């Protein structure tokens, strides 16, 4: 829809269609059975179990010529293949290297598991302009990959609502006496820590610290940090709403992640603490 469309009621003159920037008050919010999405072929977005009742009518709104569109984005970490449902003649580049599209599927060249830059060029078919050059979402098959500390939206996970599992090995030649604390720095979401397959604990707010005293062993240790965010990134991408505020889409393990050691107190320091406690 654009300003050339109008809406007419029996008791009023035709009025231009208003295009709000965000859906402030969705009338379907309070309904037991949601109304169908107004666009065609959106079952992937609304998860309808039956075909959408919206008629599949694609008007030719623009004088036809060659309409070429360029899209650019980043893949999630660990992506090994992707489905790109482009409508028209499409060409794909991954990190500047041409990649073949066969029946909308592309196998990504192997790398170190980090996100990579994707560029898609589509020579659109009649009736499919702008966002309609894609007939559905771009989807991926992923394997374990690598992700840096920082905001997920900068690492190919702009619309991801869910969890990311971080895992790495810690090799310690010996364990010094005293207290050992894992400090995650800054987290946007919730965090759950496991060490050598044993759950240490979870946090939903700062301080993001976990006591590992007596749990680390000399040699190899496996540390796992599961981070979960909110629905804000998915809602911001799939169903824009004014209730997703600025900054709410930031998610992830931001760090810095540190393992710090508190040496045991000396006898003199212990006596001083005890005397102070007795005085109180």
């Amino acid at each position: 829809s654009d300003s050339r469309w109008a809406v007419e009621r029996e008791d009023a003159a035709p009025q231009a269609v208003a295009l709000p920037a965000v859906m402030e008050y969705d009338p379907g919010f309070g309904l037991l059975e949601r109304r169908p999405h107004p666009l065609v072929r959106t079952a992937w977005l609304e998860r309808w179990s039956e075909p959408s009742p919206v008629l599949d009518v694609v008007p030719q709104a623009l004088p036809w010529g060659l309409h070429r569109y360029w899209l650019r984005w980043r893949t999630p970490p660990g992506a090994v293949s992707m489905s790109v449902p482009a409508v028209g003649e499409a060409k794909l580049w991954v990190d500047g290297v041409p990649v073949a599209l066969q029946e909308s599927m592309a196998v990504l060249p192997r790398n170190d598991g980090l996100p990579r830059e994707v560029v898609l060029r589509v020579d659109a078919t009649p009736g499919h302009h702008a966002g309609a050059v894609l007939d559905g979402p771009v989807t991926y098959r992923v394997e374990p990959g690598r992700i840096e500390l920082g905001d997920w939206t900068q690492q190919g996970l702009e619309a991801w609502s869910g969890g990311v599992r971080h895992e790495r090995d810690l090799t310690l030649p010996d364990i010094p006496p005293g207290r050992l604390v894992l400090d995650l720095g800054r987290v946007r979401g919730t965090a759950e820590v496991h060490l050598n397959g044993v759950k240490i604990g979870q946090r939903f707010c700062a301080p993001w610290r976990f006591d590992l005293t007596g749990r680390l062993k000399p040699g190899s240790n496996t540390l796992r940090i599961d981070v979960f965010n909110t629905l804000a990134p998915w809602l911001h991408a799939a169903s824009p709403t004014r209730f997703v505020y600025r900054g709410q889409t930031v998610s992830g393990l931001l760090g810095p992640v540190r393992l710090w050691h508190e040496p045991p107190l000396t006898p003199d320091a212990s006596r001083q603490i005890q005397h102070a406690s007795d005085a109180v």
Side-chain angles (χ1 to χ4, degrees), residues 17-279:
V17 174
L19 302 176
V22 296
M23 291 182 254
E24 293 193 354
Y25 299 100
D26 184 352
F29 177 77
L31 300 181
L32 181 63
E33 182 176 350
R34 288 184 58 85
R35 60 185 177 146
H37 196 285
L39 297 180
V40 298
R41 295 190 297 276
T42 53
W44 61 271
L45 182 62
E46 294 289 327
R47 294 181 172 86
W48 286 92
S49 58
E50 299 179 358
S52 171
V54 180
L55 296 178
D56 190 357
V57 178
V58 182
Q60 179 55 51
L62 298 175
W64 184 250
L66 175 62
H67 290 268
R68 175 168 288 177
Y69 296 90
W70 294 85
L71 296 89
R72 182 173 60 191
W73 68 93
R74 302 187 77 189
T75 68
V80 295
S81 65
M82 59 193 298
S83 171
V84 185
V87 181
E89 183 180 350
K91 290 189 177 182
L92 188 72
W93 291 263
V94 178
D95 291 335
V97 179
V99 174
L101 270 173
Q102 297 181 348
E103 296 182 352
S104 300
M105 293 295 300
V107 177
L108 303 180
R110 293 283 179 171
N111 72 344
D112 54 5
L114 287 169
R116 64 270 304 275
E117 183 104 343
V118 176
V119 174
L120 176 69
R121 189 187 77 189
V122 181
D123 293 336
T125 59
H128 294 83
H129 302 281
V133 299
L134 291 178
D135 201 19
V138 176
T139 57
Y140 304 90
R141 185 173 70 85
V142 297
E143 295 177 354
R146 294 176 56 203
I147 187 169
E148 303 289 344
L149 295 181
D151 185 4
W152 292 351
T153 64
Q154 305 301 315
Q155 304 191 65
L157 295 169
E158 294 88 348
W160 175 247
S161 287
V164 170
R165 174 164 294 173
H166 303 259
E167 227 175 60
R168 69 171 302 167
D169 291 331
L170 296 177
T171 301
L172 303 175
D174 55 16
I175 305 298
R179 186 166 175 252
L180 292 171
V181 176
L182 175 68
D183 189 342
L184 302 184
R186 184 165 171 250
V187 179
R188 286 299 303 270
T190 64
E192 185 174 298
V193 170
H194 294 250
L195 181 66
N196 299 323
V198 178
K199 182 178 176 180
I200 303 299
Q202 63 278 324
R203 302 283 187 274
F204 66 90
C205 64
W208 305 95
R209 295 173 182 172
F210 299 83
D211 193 341
L212 302 185
T213 306
R215 299 178 181 270
L216 285 165
K217 62 183 182 180
S220 178
N221 296 267
T222 301
L223 176 65
R224 191 182 100 198
I225 305 170
D226 296 338
V227 177
F228 299 88
N229 66 349
T230 69
L231 281 174
W234 186 85
L235 288 174
H236 184 68
S239 180
T241 168
R242 69 188 180 98
F243 296 107
V244 176
Y245 302 103
R246 183 186 300 273
Q248 276 191 302
T249 58
V250 176
S251 306
L253 179 57
L254 308 181
V257 177
R258 298 175 296 173
L259 179 63
W260 47 272
H261 169 241
E262 290 181 355
L265 294 174
T266 64
D268 289 342
S270 297
R271 282 193 293 270
Q272 291 175 5
I273 293 175
Q274 185 62 46
H275 291 160
S277 176
D278 292 343

